[in-house]
Amino acid sequence: MATKSVPAGAPETDAQQRATLTLENTGKRDTLIAIEKQYQRRWVEDGIFQSDAPSTSEVPLNSTSPSDLRKRQPKFFGTMAYPYMNGTLHMGHSFTVSKIEFAAGFARMQGRRALFPLGFHCTGMPIKACADKLVREVEMFGTKFDRCPELHGSGDGDGPDAGTTPPAPTQNMARDDVTKFVAKKTKVAAKTVKAKYQFQIMLSIGIPLEEIHRFADPQYWLTFFPPLCEQHLTNIGARIDWRRSFVTTDANPYYDAFVRWQMNRLKELDKIRYGKRETVYSPKDGQPCMDHDRSTGEGVGCQKYTGLLLDVKEWAPEVESLMATKLPSNAKVSLVAATLRPETMYGQTCCFVGPGITYGVFEVSENRFFVMTQRSARNLAFQGVPGIFSDFGTHPLVAEIPGSALIGTLVNAPLSMHSEGVRILPMETVLATKGTGIVTSVPSDSPHDYATVTDLIKKADYYRIKKEWAELEIIPIIHTPSYGGLTAPALVKKMKINSPKDTKQLEEAKELAYKEGYYQGVLLVGEFKGRKVSEAKDNIHKILEERGEAFEYWEPEGPVVSRSGDECVVAKMDQWYLNYGADTEWKDQALGWVRGGLNTYTDEARNSFEAVLNWLNRWACARTYGLGSKLPFDPKFLVESLSDSTIYMAYYTIAHYLHKDIYGKEPGLAQAKPEQMTDEVWDAVFARRDLTDEVIQSSGISRSALEAMRREFEYWYPLDLRVSGKDLINNHLTFFLYIHIALFPPEYWPRSIRSNGHLLLNGEKMSKNTGNFLTLDDVTKKYGADASRIALADAGDGIEDANFEETVANSNILRLFTLREWCEDMVKNQKNLRSGAQDGIWDRLFDNEMNSLVHEARRNYEETSYKLALKSALYDFTGARDFYRESTNATGSGMHRDLALKYIELQALLLTPIAPHWAEYIWLEVLGRPSTIQNELYPEVPETDAAASAAREYIKNIASNITSAEAAQQKKKDKGKNISFDPKKPKKLTIFVASNYPAWQEKYVELVREAFDSTSIKVDDKQLNPHISKLGEMKKAMPFVQGLKRRLLGGESPQVVFERKLAFDELDILKEAAPALKKTAGCTSLDIVAVDEGGKTGRLLVAADEAKGGDKVENLPYTADGAVPGSPTFHFQNVEA
C-alpha cells in the first residue's frame, strides 16, 4: 500500500520511510470501507444518533420527578474529555472514544436513550502561542516560507535566537509585543517531530504549505480542526450527537455566558478566592503556568523549604580577596541553605556545597547579600519575601564564586549546638537543580550526611580540608524507638553502608530515617524538648523566621517548562484561585463521593483520586494570555483551560437549544440570544432554582423553550460515564468532581469515571521518529472502521496501558469479509440446509452454546469489559459455529437451517456495539430486516443448559486431547525416538471410559471436604496434610488432592467437586459423538470401551465391527486404568489400510 509523501520542508527521519504495517492486497478492505461509508451517510441523514429527552408535551414538566422519569424511560449519558483543537486526533483519542462508543452502543440495545456528545476545546495558551510564533515566522520567511533555508535543505541547524526574545511582561507591566512567544508543538508533534520552526510542525501533521500562514490567526485554528475532528470520528462510526457540539472560548457567546455563570456562582459560594499564594509561574509568559500550559512537568506542584541563613563569619582565603573588591566593607553576607527538616538544625556540624557548582552573590537589599545558585535566586525573586529582592522578578548578581573556593568558610549555623560556627565542606552529590545548592549537614539524623562526613575525615588530605573541620561532635537531637538518639549512624551500620557512593542503600536509609524521625521521633534538645517532631516542626520554622534566621522558600517539585519554552519558577502572586483542598468541608464531600458513590471501575483509580484529593491545594483559575472567557468579576483575566472545562457536560444537555452551529452564530431551538442567558436563567435551566414566572419574563425566552431545556438537563443528568486518560486524575477529573459537588445537589453528581491507561501501538510507545505512529484518520483509511474498532476493543480495558495491534485490525478485515460472504451464502442457499426437528446432539449443543455466549457477552458488555465481550461475541461465537459445522459435516447431516439463520441474526446483534457497520449490512442486506439494527434490543435467549454446556466442553476436550496425543507422537518420531504408532499411517483409535471413580479416592474426597471452609473458600492444610500422611499413599494421593483443591479455589461449586457427578450421560454423549471424533482423529476405525473396575477388562460400546458391539474385551492396555468419569483415555494402534 502506498505511503504518504512528506511535504517539502517538513522534518524527515529514516523512520518516516517505514510503514507500521504494509498492506499488500486491499480489495477486501476497500469493499468493507465502501459499505461503512454507505451506512455512515445513512445514519447522518436519518439522525440515528440524535437523542432527545422525553418532550414536555409527552410528559409535562413537574408532572413527575426527574428520577422517576429516568426510571420509566432509562437513559445513558456518556462523555470523554473534549479534544484540544491544535491538531487532528491520534490513536490515544481513538481508544478513549471507543470506550464511550461501545458503552453507548450497548446502552441503546438495553432500551435506553443514549447520548454521546462531543465539543471542541480551544481555551488556553497552546493555540495562541503557536499562532504568535507563526506571526514571527511569516515576517521572517514570507507567507510561503520560501525565505527559510530549511525549506530548501540548506540551514545551518540554528533556530531563531531565543536569547533576543525578552520575557513577557509581568502582572505589573503592560504587554508590548505579544508575538514574542516561542511556539509549542501539538500533542502529536511534540511526541514525534523535532522541528525548528512552527511551520515545520504544521507540515509534519499534514497541513499544506500554502495554508499554514492562515494559522497565524488563532481563530483560524477554531475553524480548521473541529470539522476534521468531526469527519474523522464519523469515519470510524462514532455514535455522536453532533447537534450538541461547540467550541470553547468567547468565540461561542453562549458557552462564554455559561462559563461566566459558573465562575460567578463559584465566587458567591466562596469557592473562588483572591489573594497571594504560591504557584508555578512562567516569567516569560508573565502568568501562572497551569498543567495544560506546560510542555514538560504536568502534575508538578510547589515544594516548600525552610531557607536557612548561614551568616558568614570568616571567608575562605580565596573568596575573601574577591569579596573585598565586590562588596562594601559593612556588607552582611549569608549562604542560603534549603532544608525540608528545620527540626534537625540543632544537630548541624558543617555545611555542604558542590565543589563543581558556580554560586552567585546576589544583592537582596542595601548592604545585604545572599550566596546561592542562579536558579534558586531566580525562584526567590518572584516570591515577595519581605526585605528580599524588593522588585518582583529581579535578582541583581554581584559576583560569582566557584563552589570549591567556598570550602573552609566559617558560617553561623542557626540553632546548632556548635554556636562557635561550622565550616563549609565539599559534597560531590549536591545538585544545582534542587534547592539552593547549599545543604546543611546533620550527621546525627541524615545517613547521607553521616556517610559524607565520615568519608571527609578519612580522606581529609584528598579533599584538601582540615580534618578537624569535619570532626565536630555529633550530638543526639532526636530520639527514635528503632534507632535511639543517633539515627543516621545506626542505619549506616545496620545497612553496611561504606561510602557516599552507596547511593541505593543511602536512599533507602534516608526514607527510613525521615519516616521514623517525623512520625515517632521526640526532640532531645531546644525549646521543644520532649515534644514529638511532627508537632514541633512548623513551630521551629516559625521561630527561625521570627529571629530573622530563615524564610519560606519555594520551588517547583521538578522541572517545569511552559509551552513558550520558559523554565518555570514558583511565584507568590495575587491571583484568583479555586480553594481546592483548603476548603475542608468541600474536600470531605469529594472524598466521601469517591469512596461511597462514584464507580471508578478499579481500586487503583479510586486510590489515585483519594491521593490527589488529599494533596491538591488551591488552584489558580485565571491567566492573562491565551484564548478563553473573561473572568466576569475581573475581566483583565481569562478563565484558565482546566477551570472552564469542569461541568461542560451540563452544557451538552441544552447546546442544541442554544445554537445550531458550533460558534453560536445561529440560534438553536430555543431562539434565545446569548445575552438572554443570564445567571438566573442558567440557574433555572440547571435546576438550581425554580423556573418562575419572574425568571421567564425577565429573560424574554419562551416558557416552552425554558421548560424544554430544563427537561433536557434533568433527564440526562447525572452523567453516567466519564472516560479519560488516567493522567487526568491529577487535575481535570478531580476538578470535574469538585465543581459538580459545589454547584449541583447529589442527585446530579457524576456516577462513574473510567480512567484508561496509555495506548501502545504494536506493543511500543507511539512515535513518528520510530515509524510507530497512527492518527485516527490513518487507521480508518488503512483498516476501515469496523476492523479498527475490533482492534480497539481487543487492546484492553483496565487502567494499565493498552495495546493496539495492527495485526489484529488486519486479520479482522479478512474475518469480517469471509464471515459476511458465509452469511450471504447461507441465506441465499438456505433451501439446501437441513430442516425439520433439531434432535441431534450437535444441534442441541450448538443452540445451547449460542445462548450461553449471548448471556456471557451481555455480562461483559454490562461490566464494560470490551476485550472479553469481543471474545464472547465474535471469536468464541464464530468458534462455536465452526465446531458445529465441522461436527455435522462429519456425521453427514450438515447444519440445520434454523440454527444457521439464528446464528447469523445473533452474530449481527452481538457485534452491533463494536462493529456496527458490518452488523447493519447483515441485518438489512442479508437478513432483509426493514430498519436499522442500531435501534434493536439485545437478544433475549433461553437460559444456558449447564448439562449441555458441560457435554460440549467434554467433547471439545476429548478432540483436543486426541490431537495433542497425535502431535506428541509425531514430535517423538521427528526426533528419531521410539513411538507406539505412526500418526501418518492408517490407525485405529480406542477410547476408554470409566463409569465409576476408583474406590481409593473416596476417602480423600471426604478428607478434603472436612478441611474446606466454604465461607472463606480456603482449605486448611494443617488439618488435611497429617491425615493424608497417615494413610501412606502420598505419591498417589497428593496429585489427586491438589486437583480437588485447585477446582475449589478456582471457584467451582463445592457440591459438584465433592459429589463427583457428571451433568450429562458420558456414555450416551460418546456414542453420539463417535463419528465426529473419528473424523477429528483421521482414523480408519474407532472403538469405545467401558472399562471395568481395575482397568483390565471392559465392554465395547462402539465397535469398528458393529457385530461386536456389547462384547466383553480383556487384556486392555495400561492406559485403560487411567480413565475416570469425565476424563477418558486413549490408545492408538496402526492397522492395515
Side-chain angles (χ1 to χ4, degrees):
M1 185 177 177
T3 56
K4 187 176 178 180
S5 62
V6 179
E12 187 172 335
T13 67
D14 291 339
Q16 286 176 308
Q17 306 306 312
R18 300 194 302 269
T20 44
L21 181 67
T22 301
L23 304 186
E24 299 295 341
N25 301 308
T26 63
K28 294 180 175 63
R29 179 207 65 183
D30 296 341
T31 299
L32 293 175
I33 288 178
I35 293 170
E36 291 166 355
K37 295 299 183 188
Q38 171 188 340
Y39 291 118
Q40 288 164 7
R41 287 191 296 270
R42 189 177 301 181
W43 293 336
V44 170
E45 291 167 1
D46 296 343
I48 295 298
F49 305 129
Q50 295 179 0
S51 297
D52 294 305
S55 68
T56 52
S57 58
E58 178 188 354
V59 182
L61 193 69
N62 301 324
S63 63
T64 185
S65 70
S67 59
D68 286 341
L69 179 59
R70 292 191 292 267
K71 288 177 183 177
R72 294 206 312 266
Q73 300 193 42
K75 59 88 181 180
F76 168 83
F77 180 22
T79 65
M80 61 175 277
Y82 47 21
Y84 197 77
M85 290 295 101
N86 62 343
T88 55
L89 303 188
H90 54 70
M91 286 305 297
H93 292 115
S94 311
F95 183 60
T96 300
V97 167
S98 72
K99 300 308 177 189
I100 296 289
E101 256 299 292
F102 303 152
F106 180 65
R108 294 175 69 95
M109 299 192 78
Q110 291 176 301
R112 300 158 73 186
R113 301 185 190 214
L115 176 59
F116 174 17
L118 189 72
F120 308 108
H121 199 198
C122 308
T123 307
M125 286 183 60
I127 290 174
K128 185 69 166 67
C130 292
D132 284 352
K133 182 65 183 295
L134 284 172
V135 168
R136 181 176 179 182
E137 290 175 12
V138 168
E139 291 174 352
M140 292 167 61
F141 306 131
T143 59
K144 295 181 180 179
F145 305 97
D146 49 1
R147 297 199 299 272
C148 176
E150 280 72 14
L151 188 65
H152 307 290
S154 59
D156 61 4
D158 296 326
D161 183 6
T164 64
T165 304
T170 66
Q171 286 188 323
N172 301 321
M173 299 165 60
R175 188 180 300 276
D176 296 320
D177 185 357
V178 297
T179 68
K180 304 297 185 182
F181 287 85
V182 179
K184 71 167 279 293
K185 297 179 181 179
T186 66
K187 288 182 180 178
V188 170
K191 296 179 181 178
T192 58
V193 178
K194 292 182 178 179
K196 186 183 307 181
Y197 297 109
Q198 182 62 40
F199 84 86
Q200 292 177 305
I201 295 173
M202 307 301 287
L203 278 172
S204 74
I205 62 172
I207 308 299
L209 184 65
E210 63 275 10
E211 185 88 0
I212 292 176
H213 71 94
R214 297 176 183 271
F215 289 86
D217 176 3
Q219 297 304 316
Y220 186 72
W221 298 66
L222 279 60
T223 63
F224 185 86
F225 285 113
L228 283 180
C229 177
E230 179 176 344
Q231 186 58 59
H232 294 168
L233 285 167
T234 299
N235 290 346
I236 203 169
R239 299 176 174 90
I240 294 174
D241 184 349
W242 293 110
R243 299 173 304 159
R244 300 171 185 262
S245 300
F246 55 87
V247 296
T248 64
T249 77
D250 53 7
N252 183 323
Y254 295 94
Y255 190 79
D256 186 55
F258 166 74
V259 172
R260 287 186 277 108
W261 160 78
Q262 172 187 335
M263 304 310 285
N264 279 332
R265 291 300 182 247
L266 288 170
K267 184 173 182 295
E268 290 169 6
L269 292 167
D270 200 30
K271 305 302 183 187
I272 293 179
R273 294 183 175 182
Y274 186 78
K276 280 197 181 296
R277 62 175 294 276
E278 62 284 345
T279 186
V280 177
Y281 176 84
S282 166
K284 179 181 285 189
D285 300 336
Q287 64 180 9
C289 187
M290 299 294 99
D291 276 4
H292 279 188
D293 303 328
R294 303 174 185 177
S295 61
T296 60
E298 185 169 346
V300 172
C302 303
Q303 176 67 62
K304 174 185 172 183
Y305 291 86
T306 295
L308 195 70
L309 297 175
L310 307 173
D311 294 342
V312 175
K313 301 181 73 171
E314 173 190 309
W315 287 109
E318 186 177 340
V319 181
E320 186 172 17
S321 57
L322 174 65
M323 291 301 100
T325 62
K326 297 288 185 180
L327 303 181
S329 59
N330 61 344
K332 182 178 181 181
V333 184
S334 301
L335 275 70
V336 181
T339 179
L340 296 171
R341 303 190 65 187
E343 72 279 6
T344 65
M345 293 302 97
Y346 298 103
Q348 294 176 84
T349 63
C350 63
C351 178
F352 294 129
V353 296
I357 296 174
T358 298
Y359 294 88
V361 180
F362 299 92
E363 184 177 8
V364 296
S365 62
E366 187 176 356
N367 291 331
R368 188 76 174 95
F369 300 86
F370 285 176
V371 177
M372 56 203 307
T373 60
Q374 168 71 25
R375 186 194 63 86
S376 59
R378 180 172 180 257
N379 254 285
L380 181 57
F382 290 95
Q383 293 172 16
V385 180
I388 299 175
F389 297 140
S390 57
D391 292 335
F392 186 74
T394 62
H395 49 292
L397 176 67
V398 175
E400 290 186 330
I401 309 173
S404 57
L406 286 168
I407 295 169
T409 296
L410 182 68
V411 296
N412 177 62
L415 297 184
S416 174
M417 307 302 289
H418 298 287
S419 57
E420 69 280 6
V422 301
R423 295 287 178 174
I424 303 298
L425 299 178
M427 188 182 205
E428 296 292 343
T429 55
V430 172
L431 299 174
T433 55
K434 188 174 183 180
T436 59
I438 298 171
V439 182
T440 59
S441 173
V442 184
S444 59
D445 288 78
S446 168
H448 282 90
D449 295 353
Y450 180 74
T452 301
V453 167
T454 302
D455 193 55
L456 289 171
I457 293 171
K458 290 179 182 177
K459 304 175 183 177
D461 291 340
Y462 173 79
Y463 289 110
R464 299 180 181 179
I465 64 169
K466 294 181 179 180
K467 188 175 180 182
E468 58 266 26
W469 291 350
E471 287 185 323
L472 296 186
E473 180 184 1
I474 299 175
I475 299 170
I477 58 170
I478 296 172
H479 182 273
T480 63
S482 301
Y483 311 113
L486 293 172
T487 295
L491 278 168
V492 167
K493 182 179 180 181
K494 179 180 179 180
M495 300 180 72
K496 299 180 180 179
I497 296 170
N498 297 314
S499 81
K501 294 180 180 179
D502 296 333
T503 54
K504 184 178 179 182
Q505 299 99 304
L506 281 169
E507 281 302 314
E508 293 175 8
K510 173 185 173 182
E511 186 173 349
L512 291 170
Y514 185 85
K515 286 183 177 179
E516 179 93 4
Y518 181 78
Y519 291 106
Q520 300 185 58
V522 175
L523 284 161
L524 299 174
V525 297
E527 295 91 331
F528 300 98
K529 179 179 179 181
R531 296 273 296 276
K532 292 185 68 175
V533 168
S534 57
E535 298 171 356
K537 179 174 183 172
D538 289 341
N539 288 321
I540 293 172
H541 173 93
K542 185 177 180 182
I543 285 175
L544 286 166
E545 277 204 81
E546 289 173 349
R547 293 178 179 177
E549 295 175 325
F551 57 89
E552 271 190 16
Y553 168 71
W554 295 80
E555 65 180 36
E557 295 169 319
V560 178
V561 178
S562 73
R563 294 190 183 274
S564 63
D566 188 28
E567 182 182 350
C568 293
V569 299
V570 169
K572 282 211 174 178
M573 305 179 64
D574 285 324
Q575 59 184 285
W576 294 101
Y577 61 88
L578 280 152
N579 203 26
Y580 299 141
D583 186 329
T584 55
E585 181 181 357
W586 196 13
K587 171 183 170 181
D588 289 344
Q589 282 181 302
L591 280 168
W593 189 244
V594 165
R595 290 166 179 163
L598 183 72
N599 179 9
T600 59
Y601 296 91
T602 66
D603 289 337
E604 183 181 346
R606 187 179 308 281
N607 294 338
S608 295
F609 273 111
E610 290 188 24
V612 172
L613 285 166
N614 279 318
W615 67 251
L616 182 65
N617 183 42
R618 300 181 295 180
W619 184 267
C621 60
R623 62 158 59 86
T624 57
Y625 173 76
L627 303 180
S629 297
K630 289 183 171 61
L631 201 61
F633 39 82
D634 197 349
K636 66 177 176 289
F637 291 104
L638 298 172
V639 180
E640 66 96 20
S641 61
L642 282 167
S643 299
D644 82 336
S645 55
T646 54
I647 58 167
Y648 62 86
M649 313 84 206
Y651 189 86
Y652 282 136
T653 65
I654 63 168
H656 58 310
Y657 274 87
L658 299 178
H659 45 79
K660 286 186 178 180
D661 63 295
I662 62 175
Y663 310 103
K665 294 179 179 178
E666 187 176 354
L669 298 173
Q671 288 297 302
K673 298 177 181 178
E675 58 269 21
Q676 291 177 289
M677 296 302 297
T678 63
D679 288 354
E680 291 71 29
V681 171
W682 290 111
D683 283 338
V685 167
F686 291 145
R688 287 173 45 82
R689 63 174 295 169
D690 291 337
L691 185 56
T692 62
D693 291 341
E694 180 184 356
V695 171
I696 295 169
Q697 291 169 6
S698 62
S699 72
I701 304 171
S702 71
R703 177 184 294 274
S704 61
L706 289 171
E707 288 185 347
M709 286 193 284
R710 175 135 176 177
R711 164 57 55 77
E712 288 280 333
F713 171 77
E714 289 182 336
Y715 179 72
W716 291 116
Y717 251 56
L719 185 66
D720 298 292
L721 175 63
R722 179 71 169 170
V723 178
S724 188
K726 63 184 177 183
D727 52 310
L728 293 188
I729 292 176
N730 286 338
N731 42 59
H732 162 69
L733 291 174
T734 301
F735 301 171
F736 156 77
L737 290 177
Y738 257 128
I739 305 304
H740 272 86
I741 288 168
L743 293 180
F744 301 116
E747 179 182 359
Y748 298 121
W749 293 357
R751 290 312 189 248
S752 76
I753 298 177
R754 184 189 183 111
S755 306
N756 299 327
H758 301 294
L759 185 69
L760 304 177
L761 179 59
N762 302 320
E764 298 180 359
K765 184 178 179 180
M766 282 191 286
S767 169
K768 246 183 207 174
N769 289 334
T770 63
N772 193 54
F773 185 83
L774 288 172
T775 65
L776 171 58
D777 189 42
D778 291 335
V779 79
T780 51
K781 286 177 178 176
K782 191 170 186 179
Y783 299 109
D786 284 340
S788 299
R789 291 168 68 107
I790 288 172
L792 286 166
D794 191 76
D797 293 302
I799 196 170
E800 66 278 358
D801 289 349
N803 182 33
F804 183 95
E805 283 284 355
E806 286 193 272
T807 53
V808 173
N810 192 34
S811 65
N812 275 287
I813 292 174
L814 178 61
R815 187 191 307 274
L816 293 175
F817 187 86
T818 55
L819 185 55
R820 185 200 68 153
E821 284 191 323
W822 182 87
C823 292
E824 290 174 329
D825 185 59
M826 287 296 103
V827 173
K828 181 179 179 181
N829 300 303
Q830 59 181 286
K831 291 181 180 180
N832 299 330
L833 297 175
R834 175 168 53 92
S835 59
Q838 301 175 22
D839 52 6
I841 179 177
W842 304 116
D843 291 345
R844 296 197 309 274
L845 296 187
F846 180 47
D847 192 29
N848 182 71
E849 181 69 3
M850 286 195 290
N851 295 340
S852 174
L853 289 170
V854 168
H855 290 298
E856 184 179 299
R858 179 195 288 270
R859 288 192 298 273
N860 291 327
Y861 277 128
E862 288 172 343
E863 294 168 2
T864 69
S865 298
Y866 301 116
K867 186 178 179 74
L868 292 177
L870 175 68
K871 180 178 181 294
S872 305
L874 179 58
Y875 301 146
D876 290 350
F877 210 67
T878 54
R881 178 211 60 175
D882 294 343
F883 187 73
Y884 174 58
R885 179 174 57 183
E886 292 160 8
S887 300
T888 53
N889 287 343
T891 63
S893 63
M895 300 177 71
H896 194 286
R897 181 185 63 196
D898 294 345
L899 290 176
L901 293 177
K902 176 179 178 178
Y903 165 81
I904 294 170
E905 178 179 328
L906 290 177
Q907 182 66 91
L909 289 167
L910 294 187
L911 276 183
T912 296
I914 294 175
H917 311 85
W918 186 91
E920 187 81 297
Y921 179 86
I922 298 299
W923 193 254
L924 296 177
E925 310 301 334
V926 178
L927 295 175
R929 299 301 166 84
S931 59
T932 177
I933 200 170
Q934 297 293 332
N935 294 331
E936 293 297 318
L937 296 178
Y938 195 84
E940 296 291 339
V941 296
E943 289 299 320
T944 304
D945 182 337
S949 293
R952 183 180 184 277
E953 288 305 306
Y954 171 79
I955 294 172
K956 284 182 68 178
N957 288 336
I958 290 176
S960 176
N961 291 339
I962 291 171
T963 303
S964 298
E966 286 190 283
Q969 287 295 308
Q970 185 62 48
K971 190 174 182 181
K972 288 173 69 176
K973 180 184 177 184
D974 293 341
K975 291 183 177 180
K977 297 182 178 179
N978 292 329
I979 56 175
S980 57
F981 73 97
D982 188 336
K984 294 186 177 180
K985 292 181 179 180
K987 56 189 180 290
K988 174 185 176 180
L989 169 65
T990 303
I991 300 176
F992 300 107
V993 59
S995 300
N996 299 301
Y997 291 96
W1000 66 267
Q1001 293 181 353
E1002 292 301 324
K1003 54 182 174 287
Y1004 295 103
V1005 172
E1006 290 306 313
L1007 288 176
V1008 175
R1009 190 199 302 266
E1010 292 171 5
F1012 178 67
D1013 184 340
S1014 59
T1015 303
S1016 62
I1017 316 296
K1018 290 182 179 178
V1019 176
D1020 187 346
D1021 288 328
K1022 291 183 179 180
Q1023 174 187 335
L1024 176 64
N1025 292 342
H1027 289 297
I1028 297 174
S1029 181
K1030 286 179 183 178
L1031 293 173
E1033 300 177 306
M1034 291 289 285
K1035 189 173 181 180
K1036 179 170 67 172
M1038 284 309 292
F1040 172 68
V1041 169
Q1042 292 298 336
L1044 293 177
K1045 288 168 60 178
R1046 277 194 300 271
R1047 292 172 64 189
L1048 290 166
L1049 302 180
E1052 195 169 342
S1053 165
Q1055 182 178 359
V1056 171
V1057 174
F1058 293 131
E1059 294 300 326
R1060 300 210 292 170
K1061 292 180 180 179
L1062 298 180
F1064 54 90
D1065 188 312
E1066 185 176 14
L1067 301 181
D1068 286 347
I1069 289 294
L1070 274 175
K1071 287 178 183 178
E1072 290 196 73
L1077 293 174
K1078 179 182 175 183
K1079 184 171 182 179
T1080 297
C1083 295
T1084 57
S1085 61
L1086 179 143
D1087 287 352
I1088 298 177
V1089 177
V1091 181
D1092 297 330
E1093 180 75 28
K1096 301 299 183 183
T1097 61
R1099 179 171 50 89
L1100 275 169
L1101 297 177
V1102 174
D1105 183 350
E1106 295 184 6
K1108 294 183 179 181
D1111 285 2
K1112 187 170 183 178
V1113 288
E1114 298 180 344
N1115 300 318
L1116 298 178
Y1118 75 94
T1119 53
D1121 189 37
V1124 295
S1127 183
T1129 56
F1130 316 100
H1131 178 70
F1132 287 95
Q1133 64 187 91
N1134 290 121
V1135 295
E1136 294 296 328

